[in-house]
Amino acid sequence: MSIHTGLEDPGKDGVAEARSATFMASYLNALTLVERLHRLLLDVIKDEFERLGVLEINAVQALLLFNVGDNEVTAGELKSRGYYQGSNVSYNLKKLVEMGYMHHERSEVDRRSVRVRLTEKGRGVRAVVRKLFQTHADGLVERQVLDHEGLEDITSALRRVEHYWTQQIRYIY
């Protein structure tokens, strides 16, 4: 009788298992990095607004204003674009309207639907975030952290993952 120690020649199945385990470890590292980068982005935005003395708005709200831009949208459209979670969008839109960063208007066709757009105050926040992002983009290139081709590679890979996850949600295999 032989006891399997795991030290024997792994053969084809063992090599495949090792590759799978290595890929899984890399995948989990990538997921952790994406999550950490998102939190770090929010911290960077928060720090910029604290530096400017703008304390009434949080980073999520500033990013929401940036993403709305010059558009007139509904909360549902923001959710469907994948920017925000459901109740989070409604809460933040309500707060932004109350603080004067957004206008809101009920749809004539569907009274349940509310369309929002930035006020002048909201466009000011958007300009701050845009300037911050421009500074980051310039710094990444100047410090040779990332070039255009590298950024395109990252973006392309993330879009493929996004497509794969979307298929999983919609049960398309």
Side-chain angles (χ1 to χ4, degrees), residues 94-108:
K94 181 181 177 198
K95 295 301 280 182
L96 290 166
V97 168
E98 289 172 1
M99 292 185 292
Y101 290 98
M102 298 188 104
H103 290 293
H104 75 291
E105 186 176 311
R106 289 224 174 263
S107 170
E108 293 295 323

Side-chain angles (χ1 to χ4, degrees), residues 31-45:
L31 292 176
T32 300
L33 182 59
V34 167
E35 183 181 7
R36 192 169 52 230
L37 284 170
H38 177 68
R39 284 193 312 266
L40 189 57
L41 172 64
L42 293 176
D43 285 345
V44 167
I45 293 169

Side-chain angles (χ1 to χ4, degrees), residues 60-171:
V60 170
Q61 292 165 342
L63 198 54
L64 192 147
L65 291 169
F66 178 79
N67 286 322
V68 167
D70 294 328
N71 302 309
E72 185 174 293
V73 297
T74 65
E77 289 169 333
L78 288 170
K79 287 185 285 188
S80 69
R81 291 179 190 178
Y83 292 138
Y84 308 95
Q85 299 299 316
S87 62
N88 191 15
V89 173
S90 300
Y91 170 80
N92 282 310
L93 288 178
K94 181 181 177 198
K95 295 301 280 182
L96 290 166
V97 168
E98 289 172 1
M99 292 185 292
Y101 290 98
M102 298 188 104
H103 290 293
H104 75 291
E105 186 176 311
R106 289 224 174 263
S107 170
E108 293 295 323
V109 177
D110 180 358
R111 300 300 293 166
R112 297 169 297 170
S113 179
V114 176
R115 300 196 65 77
V116 295
R117 68 184 185 284
L118 302 186
T119 62
E120 191 63 38
K121 190 175 176 183
R123 285 191 292 278
V125 168
R126 183 173 191 269
V128 168
V129 175
R130 182 169 174 69
K131 182 178 177 190
L132 177 67
F133 289 170
Q134 184 63 58
T135 300
H136 292 166
D138 294 343
L140 288 167
V141 172
E142 288 169 9
R143 295 181 185 176
Q144 299 178 342
V145 173
L146 201 56
D147 62 9
H148 184 76
E149 185 177 311
L151 188 58
E152 288 294 319
D153 290 345
I154 290 169
T155 303
S156 177
L158 289 172
R159 286 197 192 284
R160 290 192 307 271
V161 171
E162 176 187 34
H163 179 74
Y164 175 77
W165 285 351
T166 301
Q167 288 177 325
Q168 299 307 300
I169 292 168
R170 294 185 179 147
Y171 304 107

